[in-house]
Amino acid sequence: MNHRNTRQKQIIMEALKGADHPTATELCEIVQAENPGISRATVFRDLSLFAEEGSVQKVTLSDGEARFDANIKPHAHAKCVCCGRIYDVFEDKVSFMLGEEDLGGFEIYSATIEFSVKCPACIAAEKALIS
């Protein structure tokens, strides 16, 4: 299906590219802060369309909320247990987990991998409190 690339869609995509794995609601708030004329329904509809077309990834992590990622290259995610920030972990770091091993005849099309981590910023903040 061919959809028009409207100015609103461009604004929504640019906001997503500048955001850190937002939920649809979070992205809506970002978009509307700069563009109050873009409705919540438009943001939600366009995000769903982008995900269906494969131009963004819809990612559901262990918190259960659907998040959106403009990076569509194969990668895993790491979520900091302290601050909640989500980081991309690219294939070269986890390829050993998705290697060429025999999986009983299955062909892998996708995998969802989430690491629970403490990020460098939280580790540094914790060390600063201790010192």
Side-chain angles (χ1 to χ4, degrees), residues 1-2 6 8 10 37 46 58 63 65 71 75 77 82-83 87 99 101 105 107 121:
M1 185 181 278
N2 192 7
T6 65
Q8 289 180 327
Q10 292 171 1
D46 287 344
K58 183 176 181 180
D63 63 10
E65 279 195 278
N71 186 341
H75 65 283
H77 294 94
C82 297
C83 67
Y87 297 86
E101 298 176 29
E107 291 181 7

Side-chain angles (χ1 to χ4, degrees), residues 41-62:
T42 297
V43 174
F44 278 61
R45 181 181 57 249
D46 287 344
L47 270 178
S48 291
L49 180 66
F50 292 153
E52 286 174 26
E53 293 175 342
S55 57
V56 304
Q57 281 189 32
K58 183 176 181 180
V59 180
T60 304
L61 299 177
S62 60

